């Protein structure tokens, strides 16, 4: 059964590679990228499977047990476009193509001078013989870094202007997860690349790590009454927990002046760093007026991208004026 | 290729079942699963996978020590060389701080041990006895496979993305010349008479025959789509050439006539190869199909297809044919 699934998966993957990807790569003299392209095809196939699960399981759940009932779903349409671009690999591929050459140059330069970047296995050699545990450790370290990236994107006004695109959705659904400014995606890619370089995450793990993160994020934005149980909600970020992060009104208190519940996978970071907020009710989502540079409340993809850049520019300009 | 987490979980289950149900084995084949970081151990009599050992992060190529007492696995993402006992498949020892070893080779005089760093454009030369770094050269771009002349004066390296062969002088520790060849050169071997270099050019789909003393190409032999690697048949005359596409093949090159004389259909992206000492079987890793393929050289048919891990690359058994 397992072998049959694996065989079927790689048969389709190989067919796509042979038919659609390899011929143009060879014709363009890019044969070295075939192995990378094979991984790219895998990302695409996992994206298709994820979309199928979302359509066949999660979307019906939103219909059967909705948290909020909306008159129409027009505002959600743009999020679907973001999701397609993200899950089918278009945005990840573009971000990778932009970032990878820079890091290869940097690492190549360091290594030529004898510096070998550290690896988490240098501290914990036992992980060399326990790849599953090593994978989990990478996930925890990565999630710790993601917590801080996320928190900082709410703290700096120029960054918040970009990230606000994600928060401007008042009809939060399973598709909202991928709604991000493209520059915010690039910054996220850079952040991940630095962490991967610092702890030695092998490129072969990228897809697995991405799948776990995307699955949890998909579920944490869902517009459905879905609970992981009392214990589960403490261990992993769920829809109720994350809804407070998207709340239209921030919880009271100085600790929450930039927001709350920043964790992506594990709530433990919010608990450790004082940004945990737990409440029983489910608040409305969105951004309060006049809290973001620019006006990130338009529905169109390109309009949102433009608003984000303009907001970032305004925030940087205001900061410069304040300094002078 | 499946996500690392899923892969490890499924394969642990599969290999446990296999180990519990398989009888003792006589000869052992070792296949590197580069995306899983493991080696699959295959009984060469029953063609069953009898075990799996954890190796490291991204093991790509392997090489026996000159006395065949150890099998060296180059772990590019772990910066290690891991030594396995080729009879039992058990780990013997590790050498750390070998920076990003991808392909590897001993010079014929056993004085030098050379590695390429495909990802970071570098070739390193170590003292084969002490494993101390003795030479390092920036080798743009994408140094892939390597070969030596009989006198151990040169190591020749294919540069996949600059479409060249580099001759690196081991006496001066400097590159001596670069020769343009067909697109995306990968596998490279010296002919039995030490006169010609044979270079598999993926993008061009041919084997290029180079008179290395004259520094010129004397012939190109069309081989198939994505011509990737070479392996001696062991008779001092014929070489197998793998065409690494999903719908792939392996062809037989006669070095006396410099022509293709046989062709075998080997699906799944055939890559590295090994030939049985009696000349009856050819084994090849199928990179895109998670399998090791076995061709009966008498009937010229694919007779076995052995499921292994993800992205199998190097393959070896002790009972192998000569290297010329």
């Amino acid at each position: 059964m397992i072998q049959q699934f694996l065989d079927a998966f790689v048969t389709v993957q190989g067919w796509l590679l042979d038919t659609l990807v390899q011929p143009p790569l060879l014709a363009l003299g890019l044969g070295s990228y075939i192995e990378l392209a094979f991984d790219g095809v895998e990302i695409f196939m996992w994206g298709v499977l994820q979309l199928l699960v979302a359509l066949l399981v999660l979307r019906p759940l939103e219909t059967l047990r909705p948290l909020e009932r909306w008159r129409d779903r027009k505002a959600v349409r743009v999020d679907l476009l973001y999701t397609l671009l993200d899950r089918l690999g278009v945005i990840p591929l573009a971000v990778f193509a932009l970032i990878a050459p820079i890091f290869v140059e940097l690492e190549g330069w360091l290594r030529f001078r004898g510096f070998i970047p550290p690896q988490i296995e240098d501290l914990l050699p036992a992980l060399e013989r326990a790849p599953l545990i090593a994978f989990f450790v990478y996930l925890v370290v990565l999630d710790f870094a993601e917590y801080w990236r996320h928190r900082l994107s709410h703290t700096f006004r120029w960054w918040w202007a970009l990230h606000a695109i994600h928060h401007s959705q008042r009809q939060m659904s399973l598709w909202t997860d991928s709604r991000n400014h493209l520059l915010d995606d690039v910054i996220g890619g850079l952040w991940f690349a630095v962490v991967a370089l610092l702890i030695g995450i092998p490129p072969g793990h990228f897809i697995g790590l991405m799948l776990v993160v995307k699955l949890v994020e998909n579920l944490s934005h869902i517009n459905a009454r879905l609970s992981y149980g009392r214990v589960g909600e403490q261990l992993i970020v769920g829809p109720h927990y994350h809804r407070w992060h998207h709340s239209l009104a921030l919880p009271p208190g100085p600790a929450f002046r930039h927001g709350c519940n920043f964790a992506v996978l594990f709530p433990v970071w919010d608990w450790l760093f004082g940004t945990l907020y737990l409440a029983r009710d489910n608040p409305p989502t969105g951004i309060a007026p006049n809290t973001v540079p620019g006006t990130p409340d338009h529905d169109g993809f390109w309009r949102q991208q433009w608003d984000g850049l303009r907001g970032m520019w305004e925030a940087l300009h205001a900061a410069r004026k304040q300094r002078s | 290729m499946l996500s690392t987490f899923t892969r490890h979980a499924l394969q642990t289950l599969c290999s446990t079942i296999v180990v519990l149900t398989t009888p003792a084995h006589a000869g052992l084949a070792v296949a590197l699963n580069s995306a899983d970081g493991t080696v699959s151990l295959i009984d060469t009599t029953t063609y069953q996978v009898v075990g799996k050992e954890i190796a490291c992060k991204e093991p790509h190529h392997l090489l026996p020590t000159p006395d065949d007492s150890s099998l060296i696995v180059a772990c590019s993402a772990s910066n290690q060389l891991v030594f396995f006992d080729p009879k039992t498949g058990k780990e013997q020892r590790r050498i750390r701080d070998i920076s990003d070893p991808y392909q590897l080779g001993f010079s014929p005089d056993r004085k030098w041990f050379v590695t390429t760093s495909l990802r970071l454009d570098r070739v390193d030369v170590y003292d084969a006895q002490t494993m101390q770094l003795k030479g390092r050269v920036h080798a743009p771009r994408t140094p892939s496979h390597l070969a030596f002349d009989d006198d151990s004066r040169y190591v020749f390296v294919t540069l996949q993305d600059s479409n060249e062969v580099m001759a690196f002088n081991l006496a001066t520790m400097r590159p001596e010349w670069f020769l343009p060849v067909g697109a995306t050169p990968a596998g490279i071997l010296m002919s039995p008479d030490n006169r010609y270099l044979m270079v598999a050019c993926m993008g061009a789909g041919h084997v290029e025959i180079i008179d290395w003393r004259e520094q010129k190409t004397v012939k190109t032999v069309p081989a198939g789509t994505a011509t990737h690697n070479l392996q001696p048949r062991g008779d001092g005359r014929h070489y197998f050439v793998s065409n690494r596409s999903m719908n792939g093949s392996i062809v037989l090159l006669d070095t006396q006539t410099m022509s293709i004389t046989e062709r075998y259909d080997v699906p799944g992206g055939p890559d590295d190869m090994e030939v049985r000492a009696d000349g009856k079987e050819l084994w090849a890793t199928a990179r895109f199909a998670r399998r090791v393929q076995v061709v009966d050289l008498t009937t010229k048919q694919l007779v076995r297809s052995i499921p292994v891990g993800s992205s199998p690359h190097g393959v070896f058994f002790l009972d192998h044919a000569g290297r010329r």
Side-chain angles (χ1 to χ4, degrees):
Chain A
M1 177 76 175
I2 295 168
Q3 191 59 47
Q4 283 168 336
F5 172 76
L6 294 176
D7 284 344
F9 193 95
V10 294
T11 300
V12 176
Q13 192 180 358
W15 181 84
L16 288 170
L17 181 82
D18 245 24
T19 314
L20 301 175
V21 183
Q22 184 173 278
L25 285 178
L26 289 176
L28 294 169
L30 301 171
S32 281
Y33 293 92
I34 288 173
E35 289 159 46
L36 205 60
F38 190 63
D39 291 346
V41 173
E42 183 183 349
I43 290 174
F44 171 80
M45 287 177 64
W46 277 116
V48 171
L49 287 175
Q50 278 184 314
L51 288 173
L52 283 174
V53 170
L55 280 170
L56 300 175
V57 181
L58 303 183
R59 185 66 194 86
L61 205 62
E62 284 189 334
T63 306
L64 291 171
R65 296 167 55 87
L67 204 61
E68 284 182 336
R69 291 185 186 277
W70 306 316
R71 190 172 296 169
D72 61 58
R73 295 175 63 87
K74 269 201 291 197
V76 176
R77 282 182 200 157
V78 69
D79 294 3
L80 200 56
L81 175 63
Y82 279 106
T83 303
L84 287 172
L85 292 173
D86 181 31
R87 296 304 156 90
L88 299 182
V90 178
I91 291 174
L93 182 68
V95 171
F96 178 82
L98 205 64
I99 290 171
I102 301 167
F103 275 78
V104 165
E105 283 299 316
L106 173 69
E107 195 181 346
W109 187 85
L110 288 170
R111 293 222 189 203
F112 194 82
R113 283 147 187 83
F115 177 77
I116 298 178
Q119 306 214 349
I120 217 156
E121 288 85 351
D122 297 337
L123 290 174
L124 302 165
L127 292 179
E128 284 175 347
R129 294 170 199 282
L132 270 176
I133 298 172
F135 182 88
F136 184 72
V137 172
Y138 296 142
L139 197 65
V140 171
V141 177
L142 195 64
D143 193 48
F144 169 74
E146 277 298 286
Y147 168 85
W148 281 106
R149 183 190 64 79
H150 191 189
R151 187 169 166 178
L152 290 175
S153 73
H154 281 251
T155 307
F156 296 115
R157 281 184 67 77
W158 65 267
W159 200 347
W160 170 236
L162 299 175
H163 187 55
I165 303 288
H166 178 69
H167 282 265
S168 61
Q169 179 56 277
R170 293 189 177 216
Q171 294 184 5
M172 193 170 84
S173 72
L174 70 131
W175 309 118
T176 307
D177 163 36
S178 299
R179 175 191 172 112
N180 286 307
H181 196 280
L182 295 175
L183 188 55
D184 206 12
D185 284 330
V186 172
I187 297 169
L190 277 168
W191 195 273
F192 175 82
V194 169
V195 176
L197 185 65
L198 287 178
I199 66 171
I201 300 177
H205 280 50
F206 290 177
I207 297 175
L209 291 166
M210 203 169 81
L211 280 175
V212 173
V213 172
K214 293 286 180 189
L215 177 69
V216 174
E217 284 186 335
N218 231 187
L219 285 167
S220 63
H221 291 88
I222 195 169
N223 177 38
R225 294 186 185 280
L226 180 71
S227 170
Y228 298 164
R230 276 186 65 184
V231 178
E233 298 261 328
Q234 308 287 320
L235 296 176
I236 198 130
V237 170
H240 178 70
Y241 185 95
H242 197 63
R243 195 169 184 85
W244 269 101
H245 175 69
H246 278 263
S247 171
L248 188 62
L250 295 177
F256 305 123
R257 68 182 184 281
H258 297 302
C260 66
N261 298 1
F262 295 106
V264 175
L265 297 182
F266 307 120
V268 66
W269 310 122
D270 282 306
W271 179 71
L272 279 175
F273 299 112
T275 49
L276 179 75
Y277 185 78
L278 298 174
R280 281 183 171 275
D281 53 330
N282 288 297
T285 61
I287 313 173
N290 304 320
T291 54
V292 185
T295 50
D297 54 357
H298 295 100
D299 284 344
F301 177 85
W302 291 114
R303 187 59 201 258
Q304 288 179 351
Q305 295 300 310
W306 171 247
D307 284 344
L309 288 177
R310 201 181 56 178
M312 185 179 78
W313 169 254
E314 283 177 17
L316 289 170
H317 189 62
R320 203 171 51 188
K321 266 177 73 177
Q322 210 169 25
R323 274 202 303 273
S324 62
Chain B
M1 192 174 79
L2 293 176
S3 79
T4 308
F5 185 85
T6 317
R7 236 171 13 231
H8 282 305
L10 295 179
Q11 286 173 350
T12 303
L13 180 64
C14 284
S15 60
T16 306
I17 294 167
V18 167
V19 168
L20 289 174
T21 56
T22 311
H25 51 89
L28 201 64
V30 177
L32 291 184
N33 303 310
S34 56
D36 291 347
T38 59
V39 297
S40 289
L41 307 176
I42 306 165
D43 187 315
T44 55
T45 312
T46 63
Y47 305 98
Q48 298 292 312
V49 175
V50 294
K52 188 174 72 172
E53 292 288 320
I54 291 162
C56 52
K57 293 187 279 191
E58 302 217 5
H60 280 284
H61 288 281
L62 46 71
L63 177 78
T65 50
D67 61 359
D68 269 354
S69 64
S70 295
L71 189 61
I72 308 172
V73 172
C75 304
S76 57
S78 292
N79 306 305
Q80 293 177 358
L81 301 174
V82 184
F83 289 63
F84 286 92
D85 183 335
K87 290 180 184 156
T88 64
K90 298 295 175 196
E91 185 182 322
Q92 294 171 321
R93 67 190 173 105
R94 282 172 191 245
I95 299 181
R96 295 172 192 276
D97 296 331
I98 303 292
S99 188
D100 190 30
Y102 176 76
Q103 183 61 269
L104 63 175
F106 284 104
S107 60
D109 63 3
R110 302 184 185 185
K111 190 174 173 186
W112 306 112
F113 177 75
V114 181
T115 63
T116 62
S117 169
L118 177 110
R119 194 170 61 87
L120 301 172
D121 293 344
R122 209 186 59 243
V123 175
D124 289 340
V125 182
Y126 296 87
D127 180 311
Q129 305 304 316
T130 64
M131 285 294 175
Q132 295 296 307
L133 185 67
K134 295 295 180 185
R136 169 167 280 176
V137 64
H138 186 51
R141 289 183 58 216
T142 325
S144 183
H145 293 223
L146 52 88
F148 297 88
D149 70 310
D150 282 0
D151 298 326
S152 301
R153 194 173 157 201
Y154 295 101
V155 57
F156 302 98
V157 181
T158 49
L159 303 177
Q160 270 187 206
D161 284 334
S162 45
N163 304 329
E164 291 171 311
V165 169
M166 175 180 76
F168 183 83
N169 189 317
L170 289 165
T172 63
M173 291 292 166
R174 291 178 188 280
E176 200 161 295
W177 50 258
F178 293 82
L179 181 71
V181 293
T184 325
I188 182 168
L189 278 183
M190 181 63 77
S191 66
D193 59 4
N194 194 38
R195 190 170 169 194
Y196 299 111
L197 282 167
M198 294 169 286
V199 181
C201 299
M202 284 184 75
H206 68 226
V207 176
E208 201 149 326
I209 314 297
I210 295 169
D211 183 331
W212 60 272
R213 290 189 182 86
E214 296 294 324
Q215 297 171 40
K216 67 176 185 186
T217 297
V218 294
K219 190 170 184 180
T220 56
V221 185
T225 303
T227 303
H228 184 75
N229 208 357
L230 300 126
Q231 182 72 21
R233 182 169 183 159
D235 57 6
R237 175 171 175 176
H238 295 92
Y239 284 71
F240 294 104
V241 182
S242 58
N243 295 313
R244 201 188 70 178
S245 57
M246 192 64 182
N247 191 25
S249 64
I250 294 175
V251 295
L252 189 64
L253 172 71
D254 185 333
T255 56
Q256 285 191 3
T257 61
M258 288 298 177
S259 61
I260 302 297
T261 56
E262 291 181 8
R263 180 179 294 272
Y264 326 102
D265 291 330
V266 182
D271 195 315
D272 284 3
M273 296 167 280
E274 188 66 293
V275 185
R276 294 289 283 266
D278 60 10
K280 289 182 178 171
E281 281 179 359
L282 169 68
W283 290 46
T285 49
R287 285 296 290 282
F288 307 135
R290 309 170 57 94
R291 284 173 181 271
V292 169
Q293 314 283 42
V294 182
V295 176
D296 183 323
L297 292 173
T298 313
T299 63
K300 308 183 195 326
Q301 298 294 316
L302 182 73
V303 289
R304 301 278 176 174
S305 185
I306 306 162
V308 289
S310 182
S311 196
H313 206 165
V315 61
F316 173 84
F317 37 73
L318 273 174
D319 179 32
H320 61 78
R323 300 302 191 195
R324 278 292 173 92

